[in-house]
Amino acid sequence: MISEALQRIAPSRTTAMTDRAARLRAEGRDIISLSVGEPDFATPRHVLDAAKAALDAGQTKYTPVGGTLRLKEAASLHFRRDLGIAVPASQVTVSAGGKQAIFHALLATVSQGEEVLVPAPWWVSYPEIVRFAGGKVVPIRTGAANRFRFSAGQLESAIGPHTQWLMLNSPGNPTGAVYPPEMLLALAEVLRRHPRVMVLSDDIYAPLDYTGARHASLAALCPDLADRILTVSGVSKSHAMTGFRIGVAAGPEWLIKAMERLQSHSSGNPCSISQAAAVAAFEGPQDFLAEWREIFRARRDLVVEAVNAIPGLSCPVPDGAFYCFVDATPLMERFGDDEALAMHLLEHGVAIVAASAFGGANGFRISFAASEDRLREALRRIAGAVA
Ligand code: GLU
C-alpha cells in the first residue's frame, strides 16, 4: 500500500516520456527525443579530467552531507560571479541535482495546508513536490500574450494569509520566459508588503538568456529580500553534466541547515566524484558558455520558424532556456487532447511532452537541445504527422 503522500503525486511526465523514447529506440525504432531538457553537447574535457583525477586520488568515500567545503566555495564563487549573489560558503548547499535541492527545501519548510504560488505553465516537478510536502498549489496563470510572465498585480492578488512560497523560474521551463530587472523589482515591491512569503528562485537556466541582457536574479537585485530567497542553480544545464547530478542552492543559513538536516537522512552526501567535477566546472573556463548559447539561439530560431510554418501549430519566441512551448489548439478537435497528440507524434518518430504535463493545455513542449539536423528532421516528421 503506498502512502497518502505518494498518492497525491504522479510520476514525472518529462522523465516518463524520455524513458519511453529510450525504450522504443532500444527496440530498434527511429525516435528523435526532444522530450527532456538535456544539452546534447559533450561534457567539457577539463570537467571529465577532474572527475578522473578524483577517482585516481581515491576520493570515493563519504563527504560532508551538504558537499565538500571546496565545492561550497566554488559554488559561492559561481553565485557571486554569474548571478551577482554574494553568499559565503556557509550559506550554500550541494545536492543531487537542482531537483533534490527544491525537494528538500519544500519538504523541510512546507506544513499541511500552506500555500505555494506556482506560475503556470510550470516545470512538472514543482506542483508535485508541493503536494507531496502537504502544501497547496496556487497557480498564477500566464499566457503567450505576456510571454508567459505574471505581473506584480497577479502576485498581489494570489497572496493570502497562508502563502508561504513563490516559485520563480527565469529563464523558465517550459516556456523560456525571462523576467527583466524591472519586472523583478515590481514583484519585489509586492513581496516587501508580505514579509511571510519566501521565494524559491530557480536560476538553473541563467546562462541561456537570449535577450542580450545580463541575467537578473531576485536575490542580487534586492539584497534586502535575500534572507527569504533560496536561489537554486547547478551544472547540469550549463555544463552538460546532467548525469553527474549536482545542484547547488544559496539562501539563509537556517534554511540551508534545514535542507542538510533532511539530506542527512535521505541521500546523504552528493556523489564525491561528481563534486570534484563540479568544482572544475565552476572554477574552470567559462567562455564556451557564450558559444553554446549562440548555438542554442540558432536552434531556437530554427524551431520557432519551422513550428510557425506548420498549419495548426504556433509558438512565441522564447527568451531563454532551451524549450519552445507550442500551441496546438486548432488540432485538438482532431486529436482529442494534447496527450493523444503527443502519442501520435511519438508514433511518427518524435518524442515531445504534452503541455498538460506542465499545467498548460492543448499543446506541447519541444526541447531544442539537439543538433540542427535532428531538429530539422523532427520538425519535418511533426509537419507530416499533423498534415
Ligand atoms: N528539467 C528537465 C526537463 O524538464 C529534466 C527532466 C526533469 O527533471 O524533469 O526536461
Side-chain angles (χ1 to χ4, degrees):
M1 180 70 182
I2 62 169
S3 69
E4 249 179 63
L6 195 67
Q7 284 178 43
R8 291 196 287 267
I9 71 172
S12 161
R13 283 168 69 183
T14 49
T15 55
M17 181 54 106
T18 307
D19 290 353
R20 186 180 285 145
R23 258 195 325 272
L24 290 173
R25 271 210 298 261
E27 287 166 14
R29 295 270 308 275
D30 171 21
I31 305 286
I32 301 178
S33 182
L34 306 180
S35 54
V36 78
E38 177 172 62
D40 55 319
F41 302 123
T43 307
R45 170 52 50 192
H46 66 278
V47 170
L48 301 180
D49 288 344
K52 283 186 187 156
L55 263 176
D56 291 341
Q59 291 174 22
T60 53
K61 304 289 169 64
Y62 291 134
T63 75
V65 165
T68 60
L69 184 58
R70 184 80 208 284
L71 178 52
K72 286 192 176 200
E73 278 167 353
S76 155
L77 163 76
H78 158 68
F79 279 111
R80 195 174 55 249
R81 179 193 60 204
D82 305 326
L83 304 177
I85 302 170
V87 276
S90 59
Q91 284 180 237
V92 170
T93 189
V94 185
S95 51
K99 193 187 298 206
Q100 192 183 50
I102 298 168
F103 198 87
H104 284 167
L106 293 178
L107 238 68
T109 55
V110 175
S111 301
Q112 197 72 32
E114 298 269 27
E115 292 179 357
V116 179
L117 309 180
V118 191
W122 47 53
W123 173 52
V124 276
S125 293
Y126 294 153
E128 304 294 10
I129 297 171
V130 172
R131 282 193 277 268
F132 187 73
K136 187 175 163 220
V137 175
V138 177
I140 304 181
R141 296 280 161 207
T142 70
N146 198 21
R147 302 173 80 91
F148 296 105
R149 297 169 306 187
F150 64 94
S151 65
Q154 280 180 285
L155 175 61
E156 183 78 67
S157 37
I159 294 176
H162 301 291
T163 308
Q164 190 180 18
W165 283 97
L166 163 69
M167 307 298 288
L168 197 59
N169 180 208
S170 171
N173 177 3
T175 63
V178 170
Y179 289 75
E182 59 275 17
M183 284 188 89
L184 292 178
L185 289 171
L187 299 180
E189 273 309 298
V190 176
L191 291 165
R192 286 190 185 101
R193 288 196 286 277
H194 300 277
R196 186 179 186 273
V197 180
M198 302 195 44
V199 182
L200 199 154
S201 181
D202 182 350
D203 289 31
I204 194 83
Y205 297 101
L208 296 171
D209 181 330
Y210 310 115
T211 62
R214 187 178 150 73
H215 171 73
S217 194
L218 191 65
L221 273 179
C222 308
D224 63 311
L225 297 180
D227 64 351
R228 49 185 170 120
I229 300 173
L230 183 75
T231 307
V232 176
S233 185
V235 288
S236 295
K237 314 290 183 180
S238 58
H239 289 68
M241 291 174 64
T242 44
F244 282 84
R245 306 314 301 132
I246 291 291
V248 292
E253 215 165 308
W254 70 266
L255 179 57
I256 296 298
K257 283 209 175 104
M259 291 163 68
E260 293 185 355
R261 187 157 133 201
L262 185 52
Q263 186 156 299
S264 75
H265 292 294
S266 61
S267 55
N269 66 267
C271 168
S272 56
I273 309 301
S274 298
Q275 289 190 64
V279 169
F282 286 139
E283 291 183 351
Q286 307 292 315
D287 39 323
F288 68 92
L289 296 179
E291 282 163 37
W292 284 9
R293 186 184 59 226
E294 291 315 305
I295 294 172
F296 278 124
R297 184 204 299 277
R299 293 169 174 183
R300 172 197 70 166
D301 294 344
L302 180 162
V303 171
V304 169
E305 198 187 320
V307 163
N308 286 315
I310 299 173
L313 300 185
S314 61
C315 72
V317 182
D319 279 332
F322 35 60
Y323 306 108
C324 285
F325 203 61
V326 179
D327 180 76
T329 305
L331 302 181
M332 286 304 112
E333 211 170 298
R334 234 170 88 208
F335 290 98
D337 61 24
D338 59 12
E339 191 55 34
L341 174 60
M343 288 306 131
H344 178 76
L345 295 180
L346 190 59
E347 277 304 303
H348 285 75
V350 185
I352 44 75
V353 183
S356 49
F358 306 98
N362 306 336
F364 54 90
R365 184 192 78 170
I366 293 181
S367 163
F368 53 82
S371 73
E372 290 195 16
D373 282 352
R374 296 297 277 167
L375 290 170
R376 263 192 216 98
E377 172 59 15
L379 269 303
R380 199 190 59 73
R381 291 181 190 181
I382 293 174
V386 303

